[in-house]
Amino acid sequence: MSFSVVKLVDPLNPTIVTGGLVPRGAYNAGTAYVVGDSVSYNGSSYVCILASTGNLPTNTTYWQVLANKGDTGATGATGATGATGAGVPTGGTTGQVLIKNSNTDYDTSWSSSGGGGGSALTIKDEGVSLDTAVTSVDFVGAGVTATNVGHAITVTIPDGGAGKEPTITAGTTSQYWRGDKSWQTLDKTAVGLGNVDNTSDATKNAASVTLTNKTLDNTNTITVKDANLTIQDDLDTTKQAKFQASGITTGTTRTYTLPDRSDTLVDLGSTQTLTSKTLTSPVLNTGVSGTAVDTDGTLAANSDTILASQKATKTYADTKTAKSTLTTKGDIYVATGASTPARLGVGADNTILTADSSQTSGVKWGAVPSDPLLGIILKQQYK
C-alpha cells in the first residue's frame, strides 16, 4: 500500500510513502527515523519524508505536517463533588506533621511540633517492642529538646540550623577528618611517629636515609664501604675526612686499637713529639736531631741521656793522638809539652824509666842504680 502526502496550501510536492505510515509516538531527538515514520510534537503530528536523526519535526526538509494542533476549546461545566478521600484528615495548622496512630490503615492525625516553628519527630510504641514506658531521653545538640509520655518519644529540632553541623566537603583518600573539623593529610606525624620514615621496607634497604637519634643494633656486624664513609665537621660541613682500605692485603682484616686517652691523630708526613715511648729495634733511615743529640765536638757535656753525633765524636777523636804513633812493642806515650803527646820507644832490657828534665819528654830509660839494696828492690819490682 502507498499514498502521497500533499500540502494543500503550498505548491504541490507529493512524497511517496511505501508501506504506509508507521506510528513512532512522541518525537525523540535520539531516534533514527525513516520515511513513513509518524510522530507527535507540540500537539501536532508529522510524517518523515527524508531519513533523519536529531532534526525537529518543524524542519520541512525532513518532515511533513499530517495534522496541526487545534485551538483550545471552551471550558466545560463543573463536575459533581466526589467522595471524601480516606487516609489524610482535614484540618491541621502550620508547623504540624501527620503521624500514624496505629497499624490500622488511614488512622492518622495532625501533631504539633511543640512550638517555635520547628519540626517534630514522634515515635510511638505501637508496632515497636517497648516493654515498659520510656522514662528518659538523651539527645545531643544545641536547641534540641525531647519529651516522653508513656510509650511515646517526641524530639523537637529548632528551625534555622542553629547548632547544626555544616555539610562536610569531600576530602581525598589520603586525608582524615580531624577533631577541629578539617581534612588533614594522614602521615607519620599525624599518628605520632614523626621519627619513622614513610618508605616501604624494600625501598628503605636501597635508599639513602638520614638516621637521627638512632642506636645501631650491636648484635650484628656493620660493614661500611670506605667510599661511602665520610666524617664531616659539625660546624663546617665542607671539612670532611675519608678512610681508604686499599692498602690492606687481599683477604686480610686489620684491627686498630684506640689508646685509652683523648689525643690527636698524626699522619706519616707530620712532625710528632714522642713522650715516654719505648722504641723496640727502631730503624732510622734519615738524620737524627733534637736536644738529645749532642753536636759539640769537644764533648764537654757530661750526660747519661744525651748521644754524641757522629761528627762530634770524630771531631773530638781527631784532636787526640793517633794510635799509629806507637810503632813498636813496648812504646809508650809521653808529653813533650802541654797537650803535646809523643812516642818514647821501649828501653833496653834491665833498664828503668827515670825522670830527666834535660830530656825533651822529661823522662829516659836508664841503667839500674849500683846501690846493692836499691838494685835488689828494683829488680824484684820489675821481674
Side-chain angles (χ1 to χ4, degrees), residues 29-103:
T31 302
Y33 296 101
V34 297
V35 175
D37 289 346
S38 63
V39 299
S40 61
Y41 180 72
N42 289 342
S44 300
S45 59
Y46 299 84
V47 61
C48 181
I49 59 176
L50 181 63
S52 168
T53 300
N55 296 294
L56 291 175
T58 54
N59 189 327
T60 57
T61 301
Y62 300 94
W63 300 91
Q64 173 68 57
V65 176
L66 285 178
N68 283 316
K69 178 181 179 180
D71 296 332
T72 303
T75 303
T78 302
T81 302
T84 302
V88 180
T90 59
T93 60
T94 302
Q96 286 187 314
V97 295
L98 187 65
I99 63 173
K100 188 172 176 62
N101 298 316
S102 68
N103 290 334

Side-chain angles (χ1 to χ4, degrees), residues 188 193-197 209-217:
K188 60 183 182 180
L193 298 176
N195 290 330
V196 178
D197 51 61
V209 296
T210 300
L211 299 179
T212 303
N213 297 329
K214 298 293 187 299
T215 299
L216 298 179
D217 184 0

